[in-house]
Amino acid sequence: MAQQKDIIVKDLHELYELMELPDIGDSSGFTINYLQDIFKQLPFRSVSFRPNFFSFLFIQEAFGNYTIDDLQFPIQPGTVYFTNPGNFRIFEWHSITEACLITFNESYLKEYVHSDVYREFSFLLTETVEPRVLSDEQFEVLEQLYRQIHREHLGGSPYKNQLIGTLMVVLLLKIKEYFFQDYNPIVEGTRSSRIVKEFKLNLENHIRELLSGKVQQQMRVQDFADRQLLHPTYLSQVIKSKTGKSISTWIADKLVTEARVLLQDQDLSVKEIANRLGFLEAPHFSNYFKKHTSLSPADYRKQLLQ
């Protein structure tokens, strides 16, 4: 396995392929699998990488280490780990009896969980969350939920994604209850971490204002820097160094995610969607969407119907 440095991976399928692990056979934006079925040869140390997805790791019984940015945490039974897109990480497995990993991207959240998911679950934007060792009773509640999600994921229901989305709402609410009742975001991490979190919040609020019609023009890097009273070059450097992605890439990912959701509504014309997202002309939006997805909005809609 080639040891590359600081790789950005779009999903778990891509990460496992990079590390020559068994193919999980899913690139849909959501995965759930038991790690004892994946990691047969232990100990195992991953490449250093930055995921472009969220993950929850439920450790029933396993041991190892997990590195998030410059922090290292032990992997131990009864622990739940949460990480969001952009964090640098490495994981090491020493032994695995049972551990379940759920990953999902923002598009999946917006489509199947809630279109305004960050309003209810703002902790998803938190830059660094320390793992939490739960009581036996708390872990059992989560275990029942992820086992049900796993069953639905393997099942053939025509409503599979909707069922999983509903169960994910319950899971996120329980995570919120167990992790964040006493969480104080003001003391979170370093100054750089707080800058990144504030940028993510500002970006999310800006997209919400675009969609609601409160603003009609997309914010620039300078505008985001002004919100935090920072020089745009400094803000850009912090975002790039902490997340591995530039501000323009963060903005593009956000706009494309929202465009995908809006394009599912067949009653909305491409021109209307372009206006909602702050594009002055529909052709500009179409070119932008195709640049980031390799599909025109019309072709994307055809793909949805198929």
Side-chain angles (χ1 to χ4, degrees):
M1 178 177 60
Q3 284 291 328
Q4 303 177 52
K5 186 177 180 181
D6 205 12
I7 308 153
I8 296 177
V9 292
K10 67 178 180 180
D11 56 28
L12 194 66
H13 176 85
E14 186 176 288
L15 177 64
Y16 281 8
E17 185 176 55
L18 176 70
M19 297 191 297
E20 301 175 1
L21 289 167
D23 185 4
I24 57 172
D26 199 322
S27 298
S28 64
F30 177 90
T31 70
I32 178 168
N33 58 86
Y34 289 98
L35 299 188
Q36 64 270 23
D37 298 330
I38 303 294
F39 296 91
K40 298 294 189 179
Q41 296 184 348
L42 299 176
F44 183 93
R45 178 183 171 89
S46 75
V47 296
S48 61
F49 66 100
R50 294 181 188 271
N52 208 15
F53 51 85
F54 299 88
S55 61
F56 284 111
L57 179 59
F58 303 94
I59 305 296
Q60 187 180 77
E61 187 173 347
F63 296 91
N65 291 295
Y66 209 92
T67 300
I68 305 174
D69 289 334
D70 57 348
L71 302 173
Q72 187 175 91
F73 304 103
I75 293 173
Q76 55 187 327
T79 307
V80 178
Y81 297 77
F82 165 70
T83 51
N84 65 14
N87 293 105
F88 163 84
R89 71 193 70 172
I90 299 171
F91 58 81
E92 299 175 58
W93 293 111
H94 302 156
S95 68
I96 309 173
T97 302
E98 184 169 313
C100 180
L101 175 66
I102 294 178
T103 72
F104 48 94
N105 61 22
E106 186 176 22
S107 293
Y108 193 91
L109 279 177
K110 298 266 184 175
E111 186 173 356
Y112 296 112
V113 178
H114 196 287
S115 60
D116 196 9
V117 68
Y118 298 119
R119 186 182 293 273
E120 181 65 39
F121 304 113
S122 59
F123 68 83
L124 291 171
L125 297 171
T126 303
E127 183 62 15
T128 303
V129 180
E130 291 194 11
R132 186 69 60 95
V133 179
L134 303 182
S135 68
D136 291 342
E137 293 78 10
Q138 289 175 328
F139 194 90
E140 184 179 354
V141 170
L142 298 185
E143 182 184 359
Q144 290 173 355
L145 283 168
Y146 70 67
R147 287 187 181 279
Q148 182 63 34
I149 291 170
H150 188 251
R151 284 193 292 269
E152 296 296 345
H153 188 61
L154 295 179
S157 170
Y159 309 109
K160 178 169 77 171
N161 285 318
Q162 289 83 351
L163 287 166
I164 291 174
T166 301
L167 290 166
M168 283 296 295
V169 170
V170 180
L171 181 66
L172 289 169
L173 285 169
K174 297 309 291 186
I175 293 285
K176 184 177 179 180
E177 176 186 346
Y178 295 159
F179 274 60
F180 294 97
Q181 289 298 300
D182 56 354
Y183 179 75
N184 182 2
I186 294 177
V187 300
E188 179 201 345
T190 64
R191 181 169 184 262
S192 294
S193 293
R194 293 193 292 272
I195 288 173
V196 172
K197 183 183 180 185
E198 188 66 25
F199 165 72
K200 290 180 181 178
L201 286 170
N202 287 336
L203 177 56
E204 182 62 29
N205 288 334
H206 171 57
I207 296 296
R208 189 180 296 125
E209 288 176 344
L210 276 174
L211 294 173
S212 66
K214 288 183 179 179
V215 298
Q216 282 77 44
Q217 190 171 354
Q218 294 174 12
M219 287 175 63
R220 304 161 301 156
V221 175
Q222 180 70 60
D223 300 320
F224 286 106
D226 290 344
R227 291 281 179 93
Q228 297 196 56
L229 303 177
L230 299 172
H231 191 281
T233 302
Y234 177 68
L235 177 63
S236 298
Q237 289 172 344
V238 170
I239 299 302
K240 178 69 174 177
S241 65
K242 284 288 289 179
T243 72
K245 297 196 300 185
S246 66
I247 291 177
S248 61
T249 301
W250 275 101
I251 294 171
D253 287 351
K254 211 56 143 166
L255 290 171
V256 169
T257 292
E258 296 298 342
R260 285 193 176 109
V261 174
L262 292 171
L263 285 165
Q264 294 174 49
D265 185 347
Q266 299 292 329
D267 293 331
L268 288 175
S269 68
V270 171
K271 183 178 180 180
E272 287 175 306
I273 293 171
N275 289 337
R276 286 195 187 188
L277 294 175
F279 291 90
L280 296 178
E281 297 179 353
H284 181 204
F285 163 67
S286 296
N287 291 335
Y288 188 90
F289 188 84
K290 187 170 184 178
K291 175 184 175 183
H292 293 284
T293 67
S294 301
L295 291 171
S296 69
D299 288 339
Y300 181 77
R301 274 186 160 159
K302 289 179 185 176
Q303 190 180 76
L304 287 175
L305 291 173
Q306 292 170 354

